[in-house]
Amino acid sequence: MAQRLSQTPEVWTPDESVTTRWVQQSYEALREKAAANPAAFWESEAKEYLWFRPWERTVDDSNAPFYQWFVGGKTNIVANALDRHLTNAHRNKLAYIWEGEDGSVRTMSFHALDREVCQFAHVLRSMGVRKGDRVTLYLPRVLELPIAMLACAKIGAVHSVVYGGFSVEALNERIQDSESRVLVTADGGFLRGKVIPLKEIADRALERAGTVEHVIVVRRTGQKVAMETGRDYFYDELMTLPLGRAGGGRCETEQMDSEDPLFLLYTSGTTGRPKGIVHTHGGYLVGVAATLKYAFEPRPEDRWWCAADPGWITGHSYVVYGPLINGMTSVIYEGAPTHPYPDRWWRIVERYGVNVLYAAPTAIRGLMRFGEAWANRHDLSSLRLLGSVGEPINPEAWRWYHRVIGGGRCPIIDTWWQTETGMFMVSPVPSMPLKPGSATRPLPGIRAEVLADDGTPVRLGEEGKLVITTPWPAMLRGVWRDPDRYVQQYWSTFPGKYFTGDSARIDEDGYLWIIGRVDDVIKVSGYRLGTAEIESALVSHPAVGEAAAIAMPHEIKGHAIWAYVLLRAGHQPSPALAEELGAHVAREMGPIAKPERIEFVEALPKTRSGKIMRRVLKARAQGLPEGDVSTLEQ
Ligand code: WTA
């Protein structure tokens, strides 16, 4: 029986045909049971996967907030994502269907993917990469990215994927902080018909970073690149190294402790230095696999398309690990949604018969602006479910996505989560009544609250801070080599509770409405950037004395960056200089960080203690009242 909801603002209830396993009632019962004992719920989920040795304790909170999961257990996420499928019905099923921006297609079965992964794992081992070593992956959206991630995990190395849209300084910082020994990159990548010179950017980053011993270069564009003898090798040439007959031509999967690190993923926070978020083999594997299963109810014949970049947490969890563990066939598309025309995505849905499309609101809004005729030209009837992630989906985009793409029949699974949570936290399941713009309720085993600054729950409908009150298996295990920052950032605002950095409200049906970030994190087209990082990129230009960056609402990107710059003596404001500063940020951090607008100012609003009051800048930019300015230095 469907749950009764208040009908305001607007409720959409899916047809019974969308759901298979969990009719609403049994889901409610499961949620209740899990709420009573989250650890028991996660334990029963964990039993569905392969462990070399069972765990002794499901969750250890003796050193909270440094929680541990499945303590004493041994597994490897690759044993679950690949090895296990080699002897079951998934062996010859496609794991990936990849389409290049140029229209080329490459498919790979679970068996073939395993071969590639074994081979590359062998290459990494032969380069001296051992358990615990870090490897940075800076690649375009090609199959070698999941292959390299899985190869690292297989031998117990820790991957650190740097999004291919980032540039020199962003890459350099991430290599330095992780002390990676090996960098895997490509000659270049294709985007919007243009070539991004990844190897060239990597070389410039390596001039600034010292730990990398070897660079492995995947050939994608075929352009000529500089290769340093003894340091740089082409991927395809290394992949011919014989695996040998030992182990049946396979490379052995390392048995890892549940709590051994699987990857680092750098994300922006409130300081200029990105944080290396740490995830582990055991808890992460259970968390991503289970949440994908509940939120999207995969069917064996499904074609799943998570359109996010694998270099983002969404790609880690739901292009690579979650779908593979669940034995699903994923579509990966290399390029831009509008290349060569704004129907590229709809062509892909039609061509491969995609059943589930999981994408970011910014992409939906970007396609919406071209009108519905582009989508209407294609047969999208294979779609059963749609998904949304990365920022709140505005009701207008929700309705367009639902009506034009989903034909009015597909539920929109709006999943709220974070790099830090590793897995979906708040999300509907397909049978649930939906309200456009709400991610609905926490998934089973997750407890969330919305609190006022004094730590008490806010009243219904009031805005407050979103916290998670019990540990969950895929939770971050810390900030790489910075335990204080972990405690300070996440566990000190409300002691004993995980603070998400988001504000939200809960309505009378218990549905959560995420409002946005309350810290200095900006979401531009779904990508997470810190104001402090953009500011430090600006200040690294010789003409800039001080800078402040703020988020301004933007119709397609959600938010855009506006920057205020105070020049050093001897430099004059000019449109050409503004242009140059924009290009400088793009070169240092990446094109996504380039401010939409740069204004030269004589002074920045600061508190008497010298902190920039971005709130005041923002109010001024929007022509709104400046609010409480009693701390403003006059
Ligand atoms: C925002 C992305 C509203 C939120 C997976 C969060 C969302 C931040 C949603 C994490 C959603 C993500 N509705 N807001 N469905 N999903 N967010 O680390 O502000 O890139 O804190 O992880 O994105 O961004 P991150």
Side-chain angles (χ1 to χ4, degrees):
M1 219 193 45
Q3 196 196 358
R4 270 243 167 75
L5 295 186
S6 66
Q7 291 296 308
T8 50
E10 143 185 16
V11 178
W12 182 81
T13 306
D15 195 275
E16 310 248 306
S17 66
V18 300
T19 185
T20 45
R21 232 173 308 152
W22 299 99
V23 286
Q24 185 66 12
Q25 206 173 24
S26 58
Y27 179 70
E28 290 306 322
L30 180 90
R31 250 185 116 246
E32 261 168 50
K33 201 169 147 212
N37 188 350
F41 169 75
W42 290 116
E43 179 162 49
S44 73
E45 289 299 325
K47 287 186 179 147
E48 295 202 11
Y49 306 103
L50 189 149
W51 298 81
F52 299 120
R53 194 170 79 203
W55 59 94
E56 284 145 25
R57 288 192 70 174
T58 306
V59 55
D60 182 349
D61 57 4
S62 57
N63 193 23
F66 297 91
Y67 293 95
Q68 298 200 320
W69 281 84
F70 309 113
V71 186
K74 280 205 179 281
T75 186
N76 186 310
I77 199 162
V78 177
N80 285 281
L82 285 179
D83 304 3
R84 196 168 58 122
H85 298 311
L86 301 178
T87 51
N88 68 23
H90 296 138
R91 182 174 183 270
N92 293 320
K93 183 177 173 175
L94 293 185
Y96 289 119
I97 302 171
W98 176 90
E99 186 173 297
E101 200 180 65
D102 58 5
S104 51
V105 177
R106 201 175 160 200
T107 57
M108 212 172 264
S109 66
F110 278 85
H111 170 80
L113 180 61
D114 173 70
R115 300 284 320 164
E116 296 286 314
V117 169
C118 282
Q119 186 75 50
F120 195 56
H122 183 57
V123 166
L124 290 173
R125 269 197 184 133
S126 68
M127 284 194 160
V129 177
R130 296 284 170 264
K131 190 168 167 175
D133 287 346
R134 275 81 57 209
V135 174
T136 296
L137 310 177
Y138 179 60
L139 286 163
R141 217 178 283 174
V142 290
L143 286 183
E144 283 74 13
L145 180 48
I147 291 168
M149 290 165 74
L150 293 158
C152 288
K154 188 177 177 75
I155 62 171
V158 179
H159 58 72
S160 164
V161 179
V162 178
Y163 167 56
F166 276 135
S167 196
V168 183
E169 187 50 30
L171 175 61
N172 165 51
E173 266 177 348
R174 286 159 176 78
I175 293 174
Q176 297 247 19
D177 191 75
S178 62
E179 297 173 309
S180 290
R181 299 182 60 186
V182 170
L183 170 69
V184 185
T185 186
D187 47 2
F190 289 115
L191 193 66
R192 283 182 203 89
K194 289 204 215 101
V195 168
I196 301 168
L198 294 172
K199 174 67 164 66
E200 204 181 301
I201 296 171
D203 282 337
R204 296 219 305 274
L206 290 179
E207 283 167 19
R208 304 182 191 180
T211 54
V212 170
E213 294 158 20
H214 293 298
V215 180
I216 301 175
V217 185
V218 174
R219 273 190 260 236
R220 169 64 187 124
T221 57
Q223 77 209 81
K224 207 167 155 33
V225 290
M227 296 291 279
E228 195 180 301
T229 316
R231 187 195 72 177
D232 302 355
Y233 300 87
F234 282 113
Y235 176 91
D236 51 313
E237 289 170 8
L238 296 172
M239 289 292 269
T240 58
L241 279 181
L243 255 177
R245 288 222 183 143
R250 298 189 69 252
C251 176
E252 201 191 324
T253 302
E254 194 82 33
Q255 301 204 359
M256 306 297 287
D257 284 337
S258 303
E259 284 292 310
D260 277 334
L262 166 65
F263 66 83
L264 306 181
L265 187 56
Y266 285 86
T267 191
S268 298
T270 47
T271 75
R273 219 161 38 87
K275 302 174 278 200
I277 300 299
V278 182
H279 285 288
T280 55
H281 275 262
Y284 176 81
L285 116 78
V286 175
V288 296
T291 49
L292 182 54
K293 184 183 70 178
Y294 286 110
F296 287 96
E297 291 178 8
R299 299 179 184 179
E301 68 279 16
D302 268 353
R303 286 190 167 176
W304 158 260
W305 183 18
C306 166
D309 196 279
W312 193 28
I313 189 67
T314 309
H316 281 55
S317 300
Y318 301 108
V319 176
V320 183
Y321 294 113
L324 292 176
I325 298 168
N326 279 293
M328 292 157 76
T329 302
S330 289
V331 172
I332 299 182
Y333 165 55
E334 177 183 43
T338 50
H339 191 85
Y341 300 108
D343 65 342
R344 185 62 186 265
W345 273 22
W346 319 130
R347 255 176 212 284
I348 293 174
V349 169
E350 182 174 43
R351 183 169 189 192
Y352 304 107
V354 170
N355 304 99
V356 188
L357 170 63
Y358 180 49
T362 181
I364 305 305
R365 289 192 296 262
L367 291 168
M368 193 171 125
R369 102 190 125 114
F370 293 100
E372 53 192 87
W374 290 103
N376 290 343
R377 262 182 224 164
H378 297 279
D379 177 7
L380 306 181
S381 61
S382 58
L383 288 170
R384 181 178 85 251
L385 298 171
L386 298 171
S388 176
V389 57
E391 54 179 314
I393 180 163
N394 48 311
E396 196 197 347
W398 194 102
R399 286 186 209 108
W400 189 86
Y401 196 23
H402 184 255
R403 179 176 61 82
V404 179
I405 308 308
R409 45 169 216 285
C410 307
I412 295 178
I413 308 296
D414 180 357
T415 58
W416 176 90
W417 58 297
Q418 307 180 299
T419 305
E420 292 86 342
T421 69
M423 62 183 214
F424 307 146
M425 300 293 280
V426 179
S427 164
V429 297
S431 57
M432 204 182 266
L434 303 174
K435 301 184 188 187
S438 167
T440 76
R441 299 178 304 156
L443 283 167
I446 303 299
R447 287 188 187 145
E449 282 177 2
V450 176
L451 302 180
D453 287 344
D454 65 3
T456 57
V458 294
R459 278 198 294 270
L460 275 189
E462 270 179 21
E463 180 173 346
K465 290 178 173 153
L466 180 65
V467 299
I468 310 295
T469 60
T470 45
W472 64 100
M475 67 194 297
L476 74 163
R477 296 303 194 274
V479 175
W480 183 246
R481 299 213 162 136
D482 200 345
D484 294 344
R485 197 166 171 198
Y486 170 66
V487 176
Q488 172 61 29
Q489 185 89 44
Y490 302 104
W491 300 92
S492 59
T493 313
F494 302 103
K497 295 176 177 174
Y498 170 84
F499 176 42
T500 61
D502 279 5
S503 64
R505 57 191 179 80
I506 300 186
D507 71 15
E508 61 281 13
D509 299 309
Y511 277 38
L512 272 160
W513 298 77
I514 308 292
I515 297 161
R517 302 288 309 188
V518 292
D519 53 12
D520 295 323
V521 168
I522 309 183
K523 279 261 164 164
V524 181
S525 302
Y527 288 96
R528 200 166 141 173
L529 298 165
T531 50
E533 284 170 275
I534 300 155
E535 289 158 6
S536 72
L538 280 165
V539 175
S540 72
H541 188 280
V544 178
E546 274 189 272
I550 59 166
M552 287 289 282
H554 186 281
E555 208 184 321
I556 291 167
K557 299 176 181 174
H559 284 102
I561 301 160
W562 284 22
Y564 296 84
V565 168
L566 215 117
L567 292 176
R568 282 172 191 268
H571 295 273
Q572 296 308 319
S574 70
L577 182 57
E579 191 70 25
E580 186 187 321
L581 295 180
H584 176 74
V585 175
R587 258 194 321 271
E588 289 294 303
M589 278 201 61
I592 35 164
K594 184 177 168 178
E596 179 104 347
R597 180 165 165 171
I598 297 182
E599 249 182 59
F600 297 102
V601 292
E602 298 284 317
L604 289 169
K606 285 186 184 168
T607 60
R608 276 183 282 270
S609 60
K611 258 184 107 175
I612 297 171
M613 294 181 82
R614 296 192 185 82
R615 172 173 68 75
V616 172
L617 283 171
K618 203 166 166 174
R620 285 180 191 165
Q622 291 178 292
L624 297 170
E626 291 182 14
D628 178 10
V629 287
S630 55
T631 57
L632 188 67
E633 186 191 47
Q634 299 295 341

